[in-house]
Amino acid sequence: MGESGVGRLGRVIGELMGTLGTGQVITDRQRRRTYECDGLSAYRVVPGVVVLARTAADVVTTVRACARHGVPFVARGSGTGLSGGALPHAEGVLVVLSQLRAVREADVDNQRAVVEPGVINLQLTAATSPDGYYFAPDPSSQSVCSIGGNVAENSGGAHCLKYGFTTNHVTGLDLVTPGGEQVEIGGKAPDPPGYDLLGALVGSEGTLGVVTAATVRLTRLPQEVRTLLAAFRTMDDAGAATSAIIAAGVIPAAIEMMDALAIEAAEAAVHCGYPAGAGAVLVIELDGPAPDVAGSSTTSCGCARPPGRSRCASRPTTPSAPSSGRAASPRSPRSAGSAPTTSCRTA
């Protein structure tokens, strides 16, 4: 009869204790419960053991030990995902990568950065914005989520309409395969030759390898950012305006729709001053060269207020100064100063 899963896990724990030490190998049940789920908290499993990797070599050591003994492993970043991608295995190893937080290189001349998987998404933008660049993928948890987790989940955000998801911003990966082999795929080149292996790896939730470094694109900060608020009687009217804006050739950096219930909740929470009685609103963000933003703003307002049905009032404001009839424009890491805001209101 073959060795049980618990027995195999015990052998792996013994090896890792001898190699990495007790400071990096967590066996205490109460401490392991810290890692029992990611953001999808409806599903919980206490991992068999937790390994706190501090270097890529630690990841290699852990994965090779798992491969030798047939023990499953799961990689984990900040644990903010909502898909259960970091759900542990009760008789397996959870490899935590949050301590690998070095920005190894910020090559603004070539618009690339090389980062370890535990680097926080917004940390990379903070490191490169003084040079006029930022990391475009911006999931709602970007202040706490890690880039390794972004790669595993192919994360997006409000600006994915114009700038795409994580897969559109990864040009190279260093990873450890399930057999413990270290592999480098891609690099700084925009179009590496051969099969699109990066396309298969990004979004694979760690099943094809554990990322130990990522080479990502840096995006130039836009010259101007402008936010529009359009209010409508119905959701159908807001949907029609959205279609008209896209059909007119305008690709907003972000465009989000809120129904009456969402408007009511936002007003109760932060008093953002949405138009009273609106059945729906569109929050539209435009960015780019100033002349392009001005033209796109005029076109978008025209699509949002068909002749004879609505009127438009416009005045610039700062992101931190909402007023009646105008949405508050949250300060974006892409905008260093004021962001003009236009209010398009139905008659």
Side-chain angles (χ1 to χ4, degrees):
M1 179 177 287
E3 188 178 18
S4 68
V6 175
R8 293 194 298 270
L9 178 61
R11 293 172 66 86
V12 169
I13 293 173
E15 283 192 22
L16 296 179
M17 284 285 197
T19 306
L20 303 180
T22 57
Q24 290 178 250
V25 182
I26 299 175
T27 57
D28 177 74
R29 179 175 174 80
Q30 292 305 313
R31 293 181 64 193
R32 285 185 283 129
R33 289 193 62 188
T34 303
Y35 305 93
E36 65 184 1
C37 68
D38 58 11
L40 189 66
S41 57
Y43 297 90
R44 299 171 181 266
V45 176
V46 178
V49 66
V50 175
V51 174
L52 305 178
R54 295 174 182 168
T55 65
D58 292 347
V59 178
V60 173
T61 297
T62 303
V63 172
R64 285 180 179 174
C66 291
R68 277 195 301 272
H69 298 286
V71 170
F73 66 88
V74 175
R76 177 189 173 98
S78 296
T80 61
L82 299 172
S83 69
L87 187 69
H89 193 288
E91 296 180 357
V93 177
L94 186 68
V95 187
V96 179
L97 305 168
S98 57
Q99 294 188 23
L100 278 72
R101 287 197 174 185
V103 178
R104 294 182 181 177
E105 182 182 8
D107 183 0
V108 295
D109 291 337
N110 290 303
Q111 298 184 343
R112 295 290 186 270
V114 182
V115 300
E116 292 184 347
V119 171
I120 301 301
N121 181 296
L122 202 57
Q123 177 188 345
L124 180 55
T125 289
T128 55
S129 58
D131 294 311
Y133 290 87
Y134 73 107
F135 185 52
D138 57 347
S140 58
S141 59
Q142 67 171 340
S143 61
V144 290
C145 67
S146 64
I147 291 180
N150 295 167
V151 171
E153 299 289 327
N154 190 24
S155 303
H159 296 93
C160 62
L161 173 64
K162 181 175 182 179
Y163 293 100
F165 294 81
T166 298
T167 188
N168 303 109
H169 299 270
V170 175
T171 63
L173 291 175
D174 294 357
L175 70 151
V176 180
T177 68
E181 180 183 1
Q182 288 184 284
V183 177
E184 295 181 12
I185 297 175
K188 293 183 179 180
D191 296 304
Y195 295 110
D196 182 18
L197 298 178
L198 291 173
L201 290 165
V202 178
S204 65
E205 299 190 0
T207 58
L208 301 180
V210 180
V211 174
T212 56
T215 303
V216 298
R217 301 179 191 274
L218 297 176
T219 302
R220 186 75 183 175
L221 285 167
Q223 182 181 18
E224 182 173 338
V225 178
R226 180 173 298 187
T227 305
L228 314 180
L229 173 70
F232 304 86
R233 296 186 184 91
T234 67
M235 290 285 287
D236 287 345
D237 289 342
T242 301
S243 297
I245 290 169
I246 301 299
V250 176
I251 304 297
I255 182 167
E256 295 196 357
M257 184 187 298
M258 299 173 64
D259 63 8
L261 186 61
I263 295 169
E264 180 182 349
E267 286 293 335
V270 294
H271 309 289
C272 44
Y274 290 125
V281 296
L282 286 180
V283 181
I284 307 162
E285 184 179 298
L286 306 169
D287 68 4
D292 291 351
V293 171
S296 296
S297 178
T298 300
T299 301
S300 298
C301 275
C303 294
R305 49 179 177 83
R309 291 179 54 192
S310 60
R311 58 189 173 85
C312 180
S314 173
R315 60 176 175 172
T317 186
T318 62
S320 57
S323 63
S324 178
R326 185 170 65 250
S329 302
R331 181 173 294 275
S332 168
R334 307 171 315 121
S335 177
S338 298
T341 300
T342 302
S343 175
C344 308
R345 303 179 62 182
T346 57

